[in-house]
Structure formats: structure tokens, C-alpha cells
Amino acid sequence: MKPAAAAALLCLLVPSACNQASNDRLASPVTIVGDAVPAPLEGRQGDAQRGQQVFTSRDSGHCLLCHQLASLDAEFQGNVGPPLTGIGDRLDAGQIRYRIIDAQTIWPDTVMPSYYRTDGLRQVGEAYKGAPALNAQEVEDLVAFLETQTD
Amino acid sequence: MRRLVALALLLSACGGQSGEYAQQSQIPPEAIQSGYTFLQPETQALQDDDFANPGFLWVDKGETLFNQIPETGAPACASCHAADNRPLSGVAAHYPVMDEETGKLMNIEARINACRERHQDLAPLDHESDALLGLTAYVASLARGVPISVNIDGPARNYYEAGKDYFFLRKGQFNLACSQCHNDNWGKKLRGDTISQGHGNAFPAYRMEWQTFGSLHRRLRDCDSGIRAEPLDYGSATYMAVELYLAKRAEGLAMESPGVRR
Amino acid sequence: MIRISAPDTATAGEIIELKAMIQHPMETGYRRDSKGETIPRNIIKQFRCTYDGNIIFEGEFFPGIAANPFLTFHARATRTAMIEFSWTDQHGERWSEERLLTVS
């Protein structure tokens, strides 16, 4: 058996052995491995160009509200969150994915919303009930886009 | 009860799940500053000019209504509140207050409507109507420059604690508490906007976003909408409690109503 | 609601400053409500100021003018007369106020 397969089998049999956990408060179930969610949500394929739209559009993720991305020709980029310039060099796809979908599990006091969370929220606006802030495709598009952000 | 629930939730949480409340934080007293300081110079100039400040359209309206004898022949507000009798100069800086009659917390809007009912035999004015905004603006303008100072002793304490609760409660689809932006991240930028400390000392205010004048409750509803939480009703007990908490938190800041804000 | 700033008195030949503000939504007709429907245009189309019956200032308003429009302009005081400020909207509805200027 190849080492990678053996490790995967071990992880399935003994989750605590490799720091695996599941997360049930999201729009669809995910498996967390360490500080990453390696599997694309709902098995979807992300598109980097659409991801840029999600990142910059006021009607979508609007990540620019809080995060800077030097490669973008957009004015007035926020600084509540850390700059994401070159993020593709620092984090892999799985790590980026986890931070988008449920940052509040990683850092309990963060102001970064958990964009894929649907469970256990209080006083959610009528227009937003029942669905996550970003759907699986939007998350995958963002991950694809941010992966391209390398120096 | 709420604290017990919060504690239970925290204890049952596993591996880094965020609790019901944000961390208790506080802006150091020497760092407290009005939303005015976060405005562009042009906007500040607009607030400072007593003619150009559009809020004065409502202050004028309020002053007219204040002096007007109602159609029913009941006394005008001015006849009880004339200079020496029950002067209103400065009172707005000490609101909200407990109403002795009902035992409820009252902001200026609620007090105006209570006065209408009890002393003028008039129907209450609708929230955000020009008439109620006008009267509120007029009364608030009589406290311009007066440092905010509210009483949170006795029965008011329950409201203060409830307001504080709401301020630190994480809510909405984004699961954020007021404190997280306004205590912990004020001064940082959301796109081109600088996050203020979230004080209410300029309200009721003319907001550029509304292109009209509005109450603090209207602003709180916008705040809740911003984090994708369902806004509460105008005049709700919770928002009233939040007003008291915010006033205590802003203690010492001068009243600026009618303010001009983004 | 209308606010006017105009001096009560002036000396002959003096330049006076006039200010006028009216409460009006100046709805552009380009905004959409929460259901996605266009909010209909509702704007003031004309502002006029007359002094002793003569037009001394006139403006055509378009959707670019912000809500609660505020105007400042100057005039030369010549004789004691009424200064009238008037606004007309797209439906033909008109609002006006006047101030007496006493010139010595």
C-alpha cells in the first residue's frame, strides 16, 4: 500500500491520530484535517475568474471590504483583516478553504464571518435564513482565485 | 438565566467553537471620541454650519410644533416647558430615563409621546415621522455641547445590563457583536469607510446614506442589517436598553444633535 | 419644510447673502427598492428668486441635485421690497416663502 493511502486509511480508522474532525454546522458536511479542509465543497470545480468577481463584488463575498489584495486594481481596500497579497504562497487550497468557510472555529474571537455556516446562528435576517453567505460554488471559485495569488 | 445559558454553551463547545458572546472589551476612557472625528472635513463643516446642516430643517419643524397650540385646544409644549417652569435645556444629555409611571425606560421619543398622551390628550406620533423627528431634534438641540451623563442606578440597572448584553451578543449570519467592530476594530477601514466607536451622541442625525434625518433606533436597525441580523422594531425595549448602555459608554462626550453623519 | 436666511435690513448698494433650503427627497428615478423595482423620479425642477418682482436668481434642477437642496447666492440691495423664494416640482406643485428686505 502506498504511504499516502496508508495514512488516509489510518486517518479514517482513527481520526484523532491525524487531527481529523468533522464540522456539522456548515451548509454541507466537511472533513477537517489539521488546519485545512482538503476536499472541494460538494466536489465542485472552482473558476478563478469567477472567484475574482466574488472577491470584489459588493453583492457577493466582497472580501475587499476588509482585505487588501495588491494585484487588484480596485480602490479603497479595507484593512480590518490581514492583507491577502501573495496568499497562494503562504497557504494551500485546503487551508484557504477552511478559513473562508469557518474561520470562527479556527479563531473563536475573529471578526471574519464563517461564510459557509448555517447552524446555531442567532437572529439571522429573514432574507438570509437557511442558506450560507457563500454557496459551495462561490467558495470554490474564491479558493481557485486565491490560489493564483502568488508573488 | 442568559448567563447560565452562555456558560453552558461555552462549556459544551468543543475545539474552538465560538461562544454566544464576544470578549468583554472596553475602549480606554481617554480614547473615547465622537463619530465627528471620523468624518471628512467637508462633512464636519456641514454639521458645524447652523444653516447648511440639513438637520435644522427638523429642528425648526420641532420648534414650531413645540410652540403650537394643538387643534384640540390642549396646552402647547411650550406652555409647560417655558423657560422657568420645566426647562428642557440640557435634559437630552441625560436620556434615556426611567418613567416613574410605567416603570419602563424611556428615550426622548417615548417621553414626547407620553407627554402628548398624558398632558395634551393627543395621539402618539409615528416613529420616524417628520413631526416626531422634529420634536426630538428640537429637544436634543437644546442640549448641544452638554456632556452626556446618565443614571444607571436602581431599576435602570436592568436595562443597562440588557443593553450591554445585546452589545456583546454575537448575532446575524455573520455572527458578529457590536463590540467586535466598535470596541476592537475602530479606526480600521471597511473599503473607504473608517469604523467609528459607535456612539450615539449626534443622534437624531442627518445621515448621508439616508439623505434624510433619522433616529438612533433607525441607525441601530441599519447596524443589525449590516451584520445580516434581523432588525428589531422601532421603540423596542431592547433598543431602548442599548441606548442607555451606549449613553453610559459615551459618558463625557458632548451632545451634537442635530448631527451629520455618513 | 423651508429654511431661509436673508437679512432684514441693508444699506443701499450693499451686497447681501441669501440662503435657501427645502426639504425634498429629490428621488433620482434610478434607485431600486428592496424588491428590485425602480423608485419613481420625484424631483424639484425649478428654483426661482425674485426681488421686487424681478428674477434675480433662477436654477433648473436635475436628478444630480442631492436631497434637501441648499442654495447660497448674493444680491445687491437697492430698495425696500419683498424677496420671494419659490420651488416647483415635476408635477407642477409649488412652494414659496418671502422675506421683506428694508433698505435704507
Side-chain angles (χ1 to χ4, degrees):
Chain A
M1 194 184 258
K2 284 192 178 148
L9 189 61
L10 188 65
C11 275
L12 279 170
L13 294 171
V14 191
S16 56
C18 60
N19 201 13
Q20 248 197 21
S22 63
N23 189 320
D24 310 317
R25 67 189 205 174
L26 305 179
S28 60
V30 302
T31 305
I32 304 158
V33 182
D35 75 332
V37 170
L41 302 177
E42 294 177 355
R44 288 171 183 269
Q45 173 94 304
D47 176 285
Q49 230 182 354
R50 276 202 312 258
Q52 183 174 323
Q53 273 308 299
V54 176
F55 195 90
T56 56
S57 169
R58 208 171 291 274
D59 300 319
S60 189
H62 201 209
C63 315
L64 275 179
L65 186 68
C66 298
H67 292 284
Q68 280 171 18
L69 199 55
S71 65
L72 282 179
D73 181 27
E75 47 174 20
F76 303 124
Q77 304 185 9
N79 66 359
V80 178
L84 298 180
T85 308
I87 192 74
D89 283 331
R90 302 194 288 279
L91 300 175
D92 67 35
Q95 290 170 308
I96 293 171
R97 183 176 292 108
Y98 192 16
R99 280 146 183 75
I100 295 170
I101 64 174
D102 201 0
Q104 292 180 6
T105 288
I106 306 172
W107 307 289
D109 297 321
T110 186
V111 289
M112 169 73 175
S114 291
Y115 281 90
Y116 201 55
R117 182 179 179 183
T118 48
D119 243 50
L121 298 165
R122 277 166 293 277
Q123 202 178 321
V124 175
E126 284 301 318
Y128 305 107
K129 276 185 176 154
L134 289 175
N135 62 36
Q137 189 61 61
E138 287 166 320
V139 172
E140 290 311 315
D141 291 341
L142 260 183
V143 171
F145 169 64
L146 289 172
E147 271 198 288
T148 67
Q149 296 304 303
T150 55
D151 282 323
Chain B
M1 185 57 196
R2 219 190 187 149
R3 297 252 181 261
L4 283 172
V5 175
L7 190 60
L9 272 172
L10 276 167
L11 290 172
S12 68
C14 47
Q17 254 204 12
S18 49
E20 192 177 355
Y21 292 93
Q23 291 280 4
Q24 285 265 323
S25 54
Q26 195 195 19
I27 303 173
E30 66 275 10
I32 297 268
Q33 53 198 88
S34 167
Y36 180 87
T37 62
F38 296 92
L39 298 174
Q40 294 292 313
E42 294 82 5
T43 317
Q44 291 179 336
L46 201 55
Q47 177 174 305
D48 295 338
D49 184 331
D50 276 8
F51 193 90
N53 181 337
F56 277 93
L57 282 165
W58 282 266
V59 172
D60 279 359
K61 169 125 190 144
E63 190 174 5
T64 305
L65 288 172
F66 192 82
N67 291 300
Q68 206 173 69
I69 298 173
E71 282 169 358
T72 56
C77 316
S79 61
C80 286
H81 290 291
D84 303 319
N85 202 358
R86 285 180 187 78
L88 293 182
S89 55
V91 296
H94 311 299
Y95 265 71
V97 295
M98 293 302 293
D99 177 24
E100 281 161 15
E101 222 176 276
T102 59
K104 290 189 181 161
L105 188 70
M106 270 196 316
N107 60 6
I108 298 171
E109 288 91 332
R111 187 80 191 98
I112 289 168
N113 276 336
C115 276
R116 285 172 63 87
E117 229 179 327
R118 296 171 196 172
H119 306 297
Q120 295 177 303
D121 202 26
L122 291 170
L125 295 165
D126 288 335
H127 287 288
E128 306 311 287
S129 61
D130 279 342
L132 186 58
L133 283 171
L135 284 166
T136 308
Y138 174 63
V139 171
S141 74
L142 298 176
R144 259 205 305 177
V146 178
I148 293 175
S149 142
V150 288
N151 180 15
I152 61 167
D153 296 326
R157 169 66 59 164
N158 289 339
Y159 284 97
Y160 172 77
E161 294 297 335
K164 185 177 182 185
D165 232 49
Y166 198 77
F167 192 81
F168 286 98
L169 179 71
R170 301 186 75 150
K171 57 186 97 66
Q173 192 186 47
F174 292 162
N175 201 41
L176 294 174
C178 318
S179 62
Q180 290 179 283
C181 283
H182 294 295
N183 279 0
D184 308 334
N185 284 288
W186 65 269
K188 297 230 181 104
K189 289 196 155 298
L190 291 171
R191 284 311 290 259
D193 251 11
T194 309
I195 300 175
S196 75
Q197 297 179 351
H199 300 297
N201 61 314
F203 281 83
Y206 189 86
R207 278 197 82 214
M208 301 303 208
E209 193 189 294
W210 300 331
Q211 289 281 275
T212 191
F213 203 69
S215 67
L216 185 58
H217 285 205
R218 181 172 177 178
R219 184 61 186 96
L220 294 177
R221 282 168 59 90
D222 281 0
C223 292
D224 277 338
S225 297
I227 50 169
R228 298 191 173 184
E230 190 63 23
L232 305 178
D233 287 334
Y234 288 104
S236 68
T238 303
Y239 280 169
M240 210 69 88
V242 171
E243 264 198 74
L244 182 62
Y245 175 70
L246 289 179
K248 184 68 184 171
R249 178 174 170 268
E251 198 157 63
L253 278 184
M255 288 284 290
E256 288 176 26
S257 205
V260 177
R261 292 290 186 269
R262 308 180 301 246
Chain C
M1 279 128 52
I2 288 169
R3 298 192 83 212
I4 305 284
S5 168
D8 296 321
T9 60
T11 54
E14 185 186 341
I15 306 289
I16 59 169
E17 188 183 53
L18 300 168
K19 301 186 192 183
M21 186 190 286
I22 186 168
Q23 183 201 5
H24 195 280
M26 292 299 287
E27 192 58 67
T28 61
Y30 298 117
R31 293 200 309 145
R32 289 179 187 274
D33 62 20
S34 53
K35 295 187 184 88
E37 313 213 342
T38 312
I39 304 168
R41 178 171 295 182
N42 176 21
I43 61 167
I44 288 167
K45 298 206 75 177
Q46 189 207 60
F47 169 80
R48 180 181 282 173
C49 182
T50 61
Y51 176 26
D52 199 18
N54 302 309
I55 299 173
I56 57 166
F57 186 96
E58 195 165 35
E60 266 189 83
F61 288 7
F62 292 84
I65 301 287
N68 309 304
F70 167 44
L71 291 157
T72 310
F73 51 97
H74 296 84
R76 188 184 299 280
T78 50
R79 56 187 167 279
T80 298
M82 278 298 192
I83 303 177
E84 196 199 29
F85 306 80
S86 67
W87 296 258
T88 311
D89 76 4
Q90 65 195 51
H91 308 296
E93 193 170 343
R94 189 174 177 273
W95 302 270
S96 70
E97 266 203 32
E98 40 179 36
R99 291 283 188 279
L100 177 67
L101 177 67
T102 304
V103 178
S104 49

